[in-house]
Amino acid sequence: MKTILIFVSTLNGKITKWGNPKIRSWSSQEDQDYFDRIWNETRVIIMGKTTYMADPVKPDSKHLFIVMTRQPEKYQLKELAGKIEFTSEVPSHLINRFETEQEDKILIVGGAQIATLFLKEQLIDELWLTIEPKIFGNGAGFVINGNFDIGLKLISCERVNDQGTLITKYMVIRAEQSLKPAN
Ligand SMILES: NC(=O)c1ccc[n+]([C@@H]2O[C@H](COP(=O)([O-])OP(=O)(O)OC[C@H]3O[C@@H](n4cnc5c(N)ncnc54)[C@H](OP(=O)(O)O)[C@@H]3O)[C@@H](O)[C@H]2O)c1
């Protein structure tokens, strides 16, 4: 099973424009179509509470949405078994839960706090990053501040429109992999 972190970002790494949490106001149609396709083909989707609040997902029969919050008891009325859960489970337990359930991949769709949590614990296998040819001044980055250094290796990069939106996929190099001697 692969754990995939997916984001759309500007060239300078912003995932929100100014204070606006609505991503589709600036992301390209090509990225939106790509994201919708990935979303539709993945059952388990994990997000932070703030990302959920920005655009609350509607429970459906195709997905299990997992919303991370330190206060899951506040959202009990929104829970629907097998469709949407609110949890304070630690990330490694969450991932282990799905290792045994024959998922081919799970998606982490942000935001920055949740991305950083999973990246720092080395629980992400791949980063699927769409880079829009834009630069925003104010806006959130896709990780929060901290002293970490995560190595990546490019798997693929596709230009999907005239403007030059790039859909990229990177593999995360885990600490033990980067220590292996080259053959
Ligand atoms: N461009 C993109 O691709 C993209 C993708 C996703 C999101 N976004 C944007 O990013 C913004 C949200 O990002 P964000 O970093 O502010 O928030 P976030 O990561 O979506 O959620 C943060 C919340 O997650 C919960 N949380 C944090 N650490 C936790 C832990 N260890 N255990 C359990 N729960 C934990 C906390 O909820 P409680 O306060 O309830 O405890 C915290 O307030 C939104 O504006 C959204 O639109 C952009």
Side-chain angles (χ1 to χ4, degrees):
M1 184 190 78
K2 274 187 194 164
T3 307
I4 291 157
L5 175 62
I6 188 163
F7 272 124
V8 55
S9 139
T10 66
L11 260 178
N12 63 327
K14 300 293 187 194
I15 61 160
T16 61
K17 182 179 180 182
W18 310 340
N20 186 352
K22 300 287 179 205
I23 310 310
R24 289 178 188 240
S25 65
W26 56 269
S27 63
S28 59
Q29 188 59 50
E30 291 77 9
D31 173 68
Q32 293 175 24
D33 295 346
Y34 165 74
F35 185 79
D36 289 345
R37 185 161 48 77
I38 309 286
W39 179 278
N40 286 330
E41 68 187 33
T42 312
R43 189 179 81 90
V44 181
I45 298 187
I46 300 177
M47 67 195 75
K49 193 262 330 253
T50 310
T51 295
Y52 169 77
M53 288 304 209
D55 195 3
V57 285
K58 291 188 182 62
D60 62 37
S61 55
K62 287 199 299 195
H63 296 102
L64 169 57
F65 298 116
I66 300 200
V67 182
M68 297 194 65
T69 167
R70 293 190 184 88
Q71 296 176 289
E73 62 287 351
K74 274 175 61 178
Y75 304 94
Q76 268 171 6
L77 291 177
K78 290 184 184 290
E79 290 216 312
L80 269 177
K83 293 186 176 160
I84 183 162
E85 56 180 86
F86 293 79
T87 184
S88 57
E89 214 172 334
V90 297
S92 56
H93 288 181
L94 206 46
I95 301 293
N96 284 342
R97 190 148 51 103
F98 298 110
E99 288 283 4
T100 52
E101 288 190 16
Q102 303 203 324
E103 303 297 334
D104 65 332
K105 64 175 177 306
I106 62 180
L107 270 192
I108 317 269
V109 297
Q113 286 190 41
I114 293 310
T116 306
L117 198 62
F118 281 79
L119 280 167
K120 282 171 81 174
E121 292 199 23
Q122 299 199 49
L123 293 168
I124 302 293
D125 297 304
E126 292 182 11
L127 168 64
W128 292 4
L129 182 66
T130 298
I131 305 169
E132 296 290 2
K134 288 177 179 291
I135 295 171
F136 297 153
N138 290 328
F142 64 77
V143 287
I144 57 171
N145 290 343
N147 289 336
F148 50 87
D149 175 354
I150 292 158
L152 304 168
K153 183 177 178 188
L154 184 67
I155 301 170
S156 63
C157 177
E158 188 188 355
R159 177 181 176 155
V160 292
N161 57 24
D162 281 350
Q163 215 179 334
T165 297
L166 301 176
I167 292 184
T168 70
K169 292 187 177 176
Y170 289 88
M171 189 178 86
V172 176
I173 303 170
R174 298 248 161 83
E176 66 271 20
Q177 288 173 306
S178 64
L179 294 174
K180 275 188 195 155
N183 289 323

